Amino acid sequence: MKVKDIGEFGLIERIAKIVEYADERVILAIGDDTAVVKPTKLDYTLLTTDLLVENVHFTLNTITPWQLGYKSISVNLSDIAAMGGIPNYAVISLALSPETEVSLVEDMYRGMADVSRKYGLRVVGGDITKSDRLIINVAMIGEVEDSSLCRRSDAKVGDIIMVTGVLGASAAGLRIVLNPAIEKTVREAQELKKAHFLPEPRLKEGRILASIGINAMEDISDGLASEIKHICEASLVGARLFMNKIPIAKGVESVASLTGEKAIDIALSGGEDYELVFTAPKELELEIVESLAKIGTKVTVVGEIVNSSEGISIIDWSGSKKPLDISGYTHF
Amino acid sequence: MKVKDIGEFGLIERIAKIVEYADERVILAIGDDTAVVKPTKLDYTLLTTDLLVENVHFTLNTITPWQLGYKSISVNLSDIAAMGGIPNYAVISLALSPETEVSLVEDMYRGMADVSRKYGLRVVGGDITKSDRLIINVAMIGEVEDSSLCRRSDAKVGDIIMVTGVLGASAAGLRIVLNPAIEKTVREAQELKKAHFLPEPRLKEGRILASIGINAMEDISDGLASEIKHICEASLVGARLFMNKIPIAKGVESVASLTGEKAIDIALSGGEDYELVFTAPKELELEIVESLAKIGTKVTVVGEIVNSSEGISIIDWSGSKKPLDISGYTHF
């Protein structure tokens, strides 16, 4: 059955059944001019949006519809996590070809519904329209207390720079997807592909870090090097990274040796890890490590914030300092 | 200068200058993982989103970038108006070709900024990405009191059905745009084209109507016939329209005679008028007419809500009743 067989309103009815569940915060979900929800209660409302276009951001040859739905919500949740916030509501815009299979759309919304339930988000409405390719826009509302809000501009000279988890897994997974010949020779291929297709937003970690009182925070969507640059520019500071401390995901080394790259470059510039990078006073290090260990999340000191006059540099294996190559993802 | 010459971040800087203005409700606008704003204060938050794709919803051969920006915001504001609400914040997702002229993007944001200022909306963030065509998604937050919320499902048997303004202008304007040969023979061509390219959201009218205590309300985006059907389905009622009472915009008759259509069909099914259609107890008619006259807005009784068993019908010029042809805009 194709989208054109059941039409716009037939499709909306099916989607509503997938994403709706009882929730006293939702006054009106799908089916009126706008969704109607209870306002966020904390000091601030967080607002974020993300546009995904077929053959630019994904191709249906490699990602399953369920994974695509899951990931499209997850990457927005990651932005809420990076502010120290809690997610609340989302509205989804979708453009589809009339020839699209209804089951594809339903699987995609099942992925959205599954990750939404997991993190307390509610999909409350959207827009469906026509196109010759799949286009998905997710707009999301969250909330945060004034005391927990983690601005990009709050890094202080002397702060340590830390990251959650390990880096490079998503970018290595993408290389395997684009080059299936190397899959069999990489033992961790499945984990790396999973990191690429199904990133988990670090929402719990973001809340814990915000409550401990860290300074600046970002999620790592464009690569660590690029995110550090954002923090430094917004905070008017410099940074020094230690190459031998960057936590590289297992298997990235194998992929790098097959693609003729360096594992460290994949970890620094690959992007789409959706880990958190943050800065904090040195004296909070132990509390941060112990608090995140309690929920099973590794966290690593990878550098320090220095005076802006020093710029952004990396100390390599030999101990010599050089400017950090900022080559994160850019669209144009 | 093209988008690829200044890159994603160069473009974001220029956009930020166009849409940002002092506003104590906005804590962080463009430049962090999410926008941070003060929560809405009224009982409910309204959430709406709309996706526009080049060559599906518009073509840059006919609409100017400034008009496109204005209209993309205006149609979302119209959804807020139809709930009886007040608009607050918007986030914009944009996909562009690297070859797009920067001035086109800036003109579009100027249109967005102009209509936003006019109606108290604040554009606070967004996402920019690559595509081979222009894609715009607007997601908007508004707010409304419980007592003012105008649900689609609140029409009551015995209500009168009213519409603001006149109908068919936008659809007639579109016909002129698609068929420039007829432009010179239609005296009202400029007004009709303006109705198509620059619809004004009926926000003031929506607030006044909500405060008077009308029942169901919708904006007329898909055509009056189609919107009446939505109200009837959601409210489990029927409706009777009077053909000779439908307020048809000046010039629609001329266009219809040139395209071989009937003016009444353009008014009933053309869509994109962004007027409001609403139902109210008969005894409120005078108060409604007088209150909207004070702000210069015409309002007309076009029908009545009847029992669901009667279905949806129209009384034609001869006084005979027939089922209403519901042929509003559908995407698939």
Side-chain angles (χ1 to χ4, degrees):
Chain A
M1 187 169 53
K2 296 179 188 301
V3 165
K4 66 180 182 187
D5 300 325
I6 60 171
E8 183 179 350
F9 292 98
L11 192 61
I12 291 171
E13 253 177 56
R14 282 166 176 260
I15 289 170
K17 280 182 198 143
I18 295 170
V19 298
E20 283 181 11
Y21 56 99
D23 186 337
E24 59 80 38
R25 301 173 300 167
V26 179
I27 310 304
L28 284 176
I30 293 166
D32 213 310
D33 294 292
T34 79
V36 183
V37 297
K38 296 250 179 92
T40 54
K41 284 181 190 159
L42 304 185
D43 302 321
Y44 301 133
T45 300
L46 305 172
L47 246 180
T48 185
T49 191
D50 231 332
L51 182 64
L52 300 173
V53 181
E54 188 178 354
N55 298 333
V56 177
H57 301 93
F58 63 89
T59 154
L60 290 168
N61 294 331
T62 53
I63 197 166
T64 69
W66 184 87
Q67 289 172 332
L68 179 60
Y70 195 102
K71 183 170 180 174
S72 65
I73 295 284
S74 206
V75 300
N76 278 278
L77 289 171
S78 178
D79 281 321
I80 303 283
M83 306 304 283
I86 297 167
N88 286 311
Y89 311 109
V91 284
I92 314 292
S93 294
L94 200 62
L96 295 168
S97 155
E99 301 295 332
T100 308
E101 289 291 335
V102 171
S103 62
L104 183 154
V105 181
E106 291 181 319
D107 283 346
M108 201 173 74
Y109 274 89
R110 280 188 199 105
M112 290 182 179
D114 288 345
V115 68
S116 297
R117 280 195 190 89
K118 193 164 169 181
Y119 293 104
L121 177 82
R122 178 67 197 270
V123 173
V124 292
D127 183 33
I128 294 185
T129 186
K130 193 173 67 173
S131 170
D132 58 349
R133 74 198 60 182
L134 188 54
I135 303 170
I136 307 164
N137 192 83
V138 177
M140 194 176 288
I141 294 187
E143 62 187 317
V144 68
E145 308 85 353
D146 185 12
S147 59
S148 293
L149 179 62
C150 296
R151 290 171 178 84
R152 197 174 277 204
S153 57
D154 283 347
K156 304 279 180 295
V157 174
D159 276 1
I160 49 174
I161 303 171
M162 301 180 90
V163 297
T164 60
V166 290
L167 302 179
S170 173
L174 177 60
R175 281 158 177 74
I176 294 171
V177 170
L178 296 176
N179 187 0
I182 69 175
E183 176 155 356
K184 281 186 193 150
T185 57
V186 178
R187 202 189 315 160
E188 300 84 358
Q190 293 313 311
E191 291 91 319
L192 295 175
K193 281 164 56 180
K194 194 178 169 206
H196 182 68
F197 288 132
L198 296 174
E200 292 292 335
R202 294 293 201 178
L203 282 160
K204 260 193 210 169
E205 292 81 356
R207 291 297 286 167
I208 291 170
L209 293 167
S211 74
I212 291 175
I214 61 153
N215 290 326
M217 184 152 65
E218 289 260 54
D219 71 327
I220 306 182
S221 50
D222 294 340
L224 177 62
S226 179
E227 307 300 345
I228 294 274
K229 185 185 168 218
H230 292 161
I231 289 176
C232 288
E233 284 180 352
S235 303
L236 307 174
V237 295
R240 199 183 288 159
L241 289 191
F242 305 108
M243 202 180 268
N244 64 356
K245 293 201 176 160
I246 310 287
I248 303 178
K250 275 183 195 160
V252 175
E253 187 66 52
S254 317
V255 170
S257 73
L258 291 162
T259 58
E261 296 170 280
K262 288 180 189 163
I264 184 74
D265 290 341
I266 295 179
L268 281 171
S269 306
E272 289 222 272
D273 281 313
Y274 300 106
E275 295 293 347
L276 296 172
V277 52
F278 55 95
T279 82
K282 173 85 184 134
E283 58 268 27
L284 293 180
E285 181 181 346
L286 189 65
E287 186 182 352
I288 290 169
V289 172
E290 287 179 349
S291 303
L292 292 195
K294 278 183 198 152
I295 59 164
T297 303
K298 173 181 161 163
V299 62
T300 312
V301 177
V302 296
E304 57 200 26
I305 296 294
V306 296
N307 209 288
S308 66
S309 60
E310 198 184 315
I312 307 174
S313 58
I314 187 158
I315 314 293
D316 73 9
W317 319 106
S318 70
S320 67
K321 193 169 105 174
K322 52 179 191 178
L324 181 65
D325 177 26
I326 315 283
S327 53
Y329 187 72
T330 173
H331 285 287
F332 302 111
Chain B
M1 187 168 51
K2 296 180 189 300
V3 165
K4 66 179 181 187
D5 300 326
I6 60 169
E8 183 180 350
F9 293 98
L11 192 61
I12 290 171
E13 253 177 57
R14 282 165 176 261
I15 289 170
K17 280 183 198 143
I18 295 170
V19 298
E20 283 182 9
Y21 56 99
D23 187 336
E24 59 79 37
R25 300 174 302 167
V26 179
I27 311 304
L28 284 176
I30 293 167
D32 213 310
D33 294 293
T34 79
V36 183
V37 296
K38 296 252 178 91
T40 53
K41 285 182 191 159
L42 304 185
D43 301 322
Y44 301 134
T45 300
L46 305 173
L47 247 179
T48 185
T49 190
D50 231 332
L51 182 64
L52 300 173
V53 181
E54 187 178 354
N55 298 333
V56 176
H57 301 94
F58 63 90
T59 155
L60 290 168
N61 294 331
T62 52
I63 197 166
T64 69
W66 185 87
Q67 289 172 332
L68 180 60
Y70 195 102
K71 183 169 179 174
S72 65
I73 294 284
S74 205
V75 300
N76 278 278
L77 288 171
S78 178
D79 281 321
I80 302 283
M83 306 305 283
I86 297 168
N88 286 311
Y89 311 109
V91 283
I92 314 292
S93 293
L94 199 63
L96 294 168
S97 155
E99 302 294 332
T100 308
E101 289 292 334
V102 171
S103 62
L104 182 153
V105 181
E106 290 181 320
D107 283 346
M108 199 173 75
Y109 274 89
R110 280 187 199 106
M112 290 183 179
D114 288 346
V115 67
S116 296
R117 280 196 191 89
K118 192 164 169 180
Y119 293 104
L121 177 81
R122 177 68 198 269
V123 173
V124 292
D127 183 33
I128 294 186
T129 188
K130 192 173 68 175
S131 170
D132 58 348
R133 76 199 59 185
L134 188 54
I135 304 170
I136 307 163
N137 192 84
V138 177
M140 194 176 288
I141 295 188
E143 62 187 316
V144 69
E145 308 86 352
D146 186 13
S147 60
S148 293
L149 179 63
C150 296
R151 290 173 178 82
R152 198 174 278 206
S153 57
D154 283 347
K156 305 278 180 295
V157 173
D159 276 2
I160 49 175
I161 302 171
M162 302 181 87
V163 296
T164 60
V166 290
L167 302 180
S170 173
L174 177 61
R175 281 158 177 75
I176 294 171
V177 170
L178 296 176
N179 187 359
I182 68 176
E183 177 155 355
K184 281 187 194 151
T185 56
V186 180
R187 200 188 317 161
E188 301 84 356
Q190 293 314 312
E191 291 91 316
L192 296 175
K193 281 164 58 180
K194 192 177 172 206
H196 182 67
F197 287 132
L198 297 174
E200 292 293 334
R202 293 294 200 177
L203 282 161
K204 261 195 210 167
E205 292 80 356
R207 291 296 287 166
I208 292 170
L209 292 167
S211 75
I212 291 175
I214 61 152
N215 290 326
M217 184 152 65
E218 289 260 59
D219 72 326
I220 306 182
S221 50
D222 295 340
L224 177 63
S226 178
E227 307 300 345
I228 294 274
K229 184 183 169 221
H230 292 161
I231 289 175
C232 288
E233 283 179 353
S235 303
L236 306 175
V237 296
R240 199 184 288 158
L241 289 190
F242 305 108
M243 202 180 270
N244 63 356
K245 294 201 177 160
I246 310 287
I248 301 178
K250 276 183 196 160
V252 175
E253 188 67 50
S254 319
V255 170
S257 74
L258 291 162
T259 58
E261 295 169 282
K262 287 181 190 163
I264 183 73
D265 290 341
I266 294 179
L268 281 171
S269 307
E272 289 222 273
D273 281 312
Y274 300 106
E275 296 292 347
L276 297 171
V277 52
F278 56 96
T279 82
K282 174 85 184 134
E283 57 270 27
L284 293 180
E285 181 180 345
L286 189 64
E287 187 181 350
I288 290 168
V289 171
E290 287 179 348
S291 303
L292 291 196
K294 278 183 198 152
I295 58 163
T297 304
K298 171 181 162 161
V299 62
T300 312
V301 177
V302 296
E304 59 200 23
I305 296 294
V306 296
N307 211 290
S308 66
S309 60
E310 197 183 315
I312 306 174
S313 59
I314 188 158
I315 314 293
D316 74 9
W317 319 108
S318 70
S320 67
K321 193 167 105 173
K322 53 180 191 176
L324 181 65
D325 176 26
I326 315 282
S327 53
Y329 186 72
T330 173
H331 285 287
F332 301 112

PDB file of all heavy atoms in Angstrom, chain B residues 67-82:
ATOM      1  N   GLN B  67       8.739  37.995  -0.064  1.00  0.00           N
ATOM      2  CA  GLN B  67       7.359  37.494   0.075  1.00  0.00           C
ATOM      3  C   GLN B  67       7.340  36.077   0.626  1.00  0.00           C
ATOM      4  O   GLN B  67       6.516  35.720   1.463  1.00  0.00           O
ATOM      5  CB  GLN B  67       6.666  37.499  -1.297  1.00  0.00           C
ATOM      6  CG  GLN B  67       6.328  38.886  -1.825  1.00  0.00           C
ATOM      7  CD  GLN B  67       5.833  38.840  -3.271  1.00  0.00           C
ATOM      8  OE1 GLN B  67       6.191  37.966  -4.043  1.00  0.00           O
ATOM      9  NE2 GLN B  67       5.018  39.815  -3.643  1.00  0.00           N
ATOM     10  N   LEU B  68       8.272  35.247   0.149  1.00  0.00           N
ATOM     11  CA  LEU B  68       8.330  33.853   0.596  1.00  0.00           C
ATOM     12  C   LEU B  68       8.590  33.775   2.100  1.00  0.00           C
ATOM     13  O   LEU B  68       7.964  32.992   2.816  1.00  0.00           O
ATOM     14  CB  LEU B  68       9.427  33.118  -0.181  1.00  0.00           C
ATOM     15  CG  LEU B  68       9.638  31.647   0.157  1.00  0.00           C
ATOM     16  CD1 LEU B  68       8.369  30.846  -0.107  1.00  0.00           C
ATOM     17  CD2 LEU B  68      10.800  31.080  -0.656  1.00  0.00           C
ATOM     18  N   GLY B  69       9.519  34.597   2.581  1.00  0.00           N
ATOM     19  CA  GLY B  69       9.796  34.643   4.011  1.00  0.00           C
ATOM     20  C   GLY B  69       8.565  35.094   4.785  1.00  0.00           C
ATOM     21  O   GLY B  69       8.175  34.484   5.790  1.00  0.00           O
ATOM     22  N   TYR B  70       7.948  36.161   4.296  1.00  0.00           N
ATOM     23  CA  TYR B  70       6.757  36.719   4.946  1.00  0.00           C
ATOM     24  C   TYR B  70       5.655  35.655   5.023  1.00  0.00           C
ATOM     25  O   TYR B  70       5.087  35.404   6.082  1.00  0.00           O
ATOM     26  CB  TYR B  70       6.277  37.916   4.126  1.00  0.00           C
ATOM     27  CG  TYR B  70       5.282  38.819   4.816  1.00  0.00           C
ATOM     28  CD1 TYR B  70       5.700  40.030   5.361  1.00  0.00           C
ATOM     29  CD2 TYR B  70       3.938  38.490   4.908  1.00  0.00           C
ATOM     30  CE1 TYR B  70       4.798  40.888   5.981  1.00  0.00           C
ATOM     31  CE2 TYR B  70       3.035  39.325   5.532  1.00  0.00           C
ATOM     32  CZ  TYR B  70       3.464  40.525   6.067  1.00  0.00           C
ATOM     33  OH  TYR B  70       2.563  41.368   6.686  1.00  0.00           O
ATOM     34  N   LYS B  71       5.401  35.010   3.884  1.00  0.00           N
ATOM     35  CA  LYS B  71       4.299  34.053   3.818  1.00  0.00           C
ATOM     36  C   LYS B  71       4.567  32.814   4.672  1.00  0.00           C
ATOM     37  O   LYS B  71       3.660  32.287   5.318  1.00  0.00           O
ATOM     38  CB  LYS B  71       4.044  33.640   2.362  1.00  0.00           C
ATOM     39  CG  LYS B  71       2.852  32.689   2.206  1.00  0.00           C
ATOM     40  CD  LYS B  71       2.463  32.501   0.746  1.00  0.00           C
ATOM     41  CE  LYS B  71       1.297  31.534   0.617  1.00  0.00           C
ATOM     42  NZ  LYS B  71       0.789  31.431  -0.758  1.00  0.00           N
ATOM     43  N   SER B  72       5.808  32.339   4.688  1.00  0.00           N
ATOM     44  CA  SER B  72       6.109  31.106   5.431  1.00  0.00           C
ATOM     45  C   SER B  72       5.844  31.292   6.931  1.00  0.00           C
ATOM     46  O   SER B  72       5.407  30.369   7.612  1.00  0.00           O
ATOM     47  CB  SER B  72       7.549  30.647   5.172  1.00  0.00           C
ATOM     48  OG  SER B  72       8.464  31.586   5.671  1.00  0.00           O
ATOM     49  N   ILE B  73       6.097  32.497   7.431  1.00  0.00           N
ATOM     50  CA  ILE B  73       5.782  32.788   8.830  1.00  0.00           C
ATOM     51  C   ILE B  73       4.275  33.032   8.995  1.00  0.00           C
ATOM     52  O   ILE B  73       3.634  32.546   9.928  1.00  0.00           O
ATOM     53  CB  ILE B  73       6.545  34.054   9.303  1.00  0.00           C
ATOM     54  CG1 ILE B  73       8.050  33.809   9.318  1.00  0.00           C
ATOM     55  CG2 ILE B  73       6.046  34.517  10.668  1.00  0.00           C
ATOM     56  CD1 ILE B  73       8.572  32.989  10.462  1.00  0.00           C
ATOM     57  N   SER B  74       3.708  33.763   8.038  1.00  0.00           N
ATOM     58  CA  SER B  74       2.303  34.174   8.145  1.00  0.00           C
ATOM     59  C   SER B  74       1.343  32.980   8.229  1.00  0.00           C
ATOM     60  O   SER B  74       0.392  32.994   9.007  1.00  0.00           O
ATOM     61  CB  SER B  74       1.967  35.045   6.933  1.00  0.00           C
ATOM     62  OG  SER B  74       0.907  35.899   7.219  1.00  0.00           O
ATOM     63  N   VAL B  75       1.618  31.930   7.459  1.00  0.00           N
ATOM     64  CA  VAL B  75       0.697  30.791   7.453  1.00  0.00           C
ATOM     65  C   VAL B  75       0.743  30.019   8.778  1.00  0.00           C
ATOM     66  O   VAL B  75      -0.249  29.422   9.198  1.00  0.00           O
ATOM     67  CB  VAL B  75       0.953  29.842   6.260  1.00  0.00           C
ATOM     68  CG1 VAL B  75       0.770  30.595   4.946  1.00  0.00           C
ATOM     69  CG2 VAL B  75       2.317  29.182   6.316  1.00  0.00           C
ATOM     70  N   ASN B  76       1.884  30.046   9.448  1.00  0.00           N
ATOM     71  CA  ASN B  76       1.962  29.441  10.781  1.00  0.00           C
ATOM     72  C   ASN B  76       1.257  30.324  11.809  1.00  0.00           C
ATOM     73  O   ASN B  76       0.591  29.825  12.716  1.00  0.00           O
ATOM     74  CB  ASN B  76       3.426  29.233  11.199  1.00  0.00           C
ATOM     75  CG  ASN B  76       4.020  27.966  10.612  1.00  0.00           C
ATOM     76  OD1 ASN B  76       3.817  26.887  11.133  1.00  0.00           O
ATOM     77  ND2 ASN B  76       4.723  28.108   9.511  1.00  0.00           N
ATOM     78  N   LEU B  77       1.414  31.637  11.670  1.00  0.00           N
ATOM     79  CA  LEU B  77       0.709  32.570  12.567  1.00  0.00           C
ATOM     80  C   LEU B  77      -0.802  32.367  12.447  1.00  0.00           C
ATOM     81  O   LEU B  77      -1.542  32.471  13.423  1.00  0.00           O
ATOM     82  CB  LEU B  77       1.069  34.017  12.214  1.00  0.00           C
ATOM     83  CG  LEU B  77       2.489  34.467  12.584  1.00  0.00           C
ATOM     84  CD1 LEU B  77       2.790  35.846  11.980  1.00  0.00           C
ATOM     85  CD2 LEU B  77       2.679  34.508  14.102  1.00  0.00           C
ATOM     86  N   SER B  78      -1.243  32.057  11.226  1.00  0.00           N
ATOM     87  CA  SER B  78      -2.666  31.828  10.999  1.00  0.00           C
ATOM     88  C   SER B  78      -3.171  30.624  11.799  1.00  0.00           C
ATOM     89  O   SER B  78      -4.303  30.632  12.297  1.00  0.00           O
ATOM     90  CB  SER B  78      -2.905  31.634   9.497  1.00  0.00           C
ATOM     91  OG  SER B  78      -4.253  31.356   9.232  1.00  0.00           O
ATOM     92  N   ASP B  79      -2.345  29.615  11.945  1.00  0.00           N
ATOM     93  CA  ASP B  79      -2.718  28.449  12.767  1.00  0.00           C
ATOM     94  C   ASP B  79      -2.855  28.834  14.246  1.00  0.00           C
ATOM     95  O   ASP B  79      -3.720  28.320  14.955  1.00  0.00           O
ATOM     96  CB  ASP B  79      -1.678  27.331  12.633  1.00  0.00           C
ATOM     97  CG  ASP B  79      -1.845  26.536  11.343  1.00  0.00           C
ATOM     98  OD1 ASP B  79      -3.001  26.290  10.956  1.00  0.00           O
ATOM     99  OD2 ASP B  79      -0.829  26.157  10.744  1.00  0.00           O
ATOM    100  N   ILE B  80      -1.980  29.717  14.707  1.00  0.00           N
ATOM    101  CA  ILE B  80      -2.076  30.196  16.093  1.00  0.00           C
ATOM    102  C   ILE B  80      -3.368  31.015  16.252  1.00  0.00           C
ATOM    103  O   ILE B  80      -4.098  30.869  17.240  1.00  0.00           O
ATOM    104  CB  ILE B  80      -0.848  31.073  16.461  1.00  0.00           C
ATOM    105  CG1 ILE B  80       0.473  30.313  16.272  1.00  0.00           C
ATOM    106  CG2 ILE B  80      -0.983  31.643  17.873  1.00  0.00           C
ATOM    107  CD1 ILE B  80       0.837  29.306  17.315  1.00  0.00           C
ATOM    108  N   ALA B  81      -3.655  31.856  15.243  1.00  0.00           N
ATOM    109  CA  ALA B  81      -4.885  32.669  15.268  1.00  0.00           C
ATOM    110  C   ALA B  81      -6.123  31.794  15.395  1.00  0.00           C
ATOM    111  O   ALA B  81      -7.054  32.121  16.134  1.00  0.00           O
ATOM    112  CB  ALA B  81      -4.966  33.530  14.002  1.00  0.00           C
ATOM    113  N   ALA B  82      -6.115  30.663  14.675  1.00  0.00           N
ATOM    114  CA  ALA B  82      -7.287  29.786  14.638  1.00  0.00           C
ATOM    115  C   ALA B  82      -7.545  29.083  15.964  1.00  0.00           C
ATOM    116  O   ALA B  82      -8.616  28.511  16.171  1.00  0.00           O
ATOM    117  CB  ALA B  82      -7.117  28.747  13.533  1.00  0.00           C
TER     118      ALA B  82
END
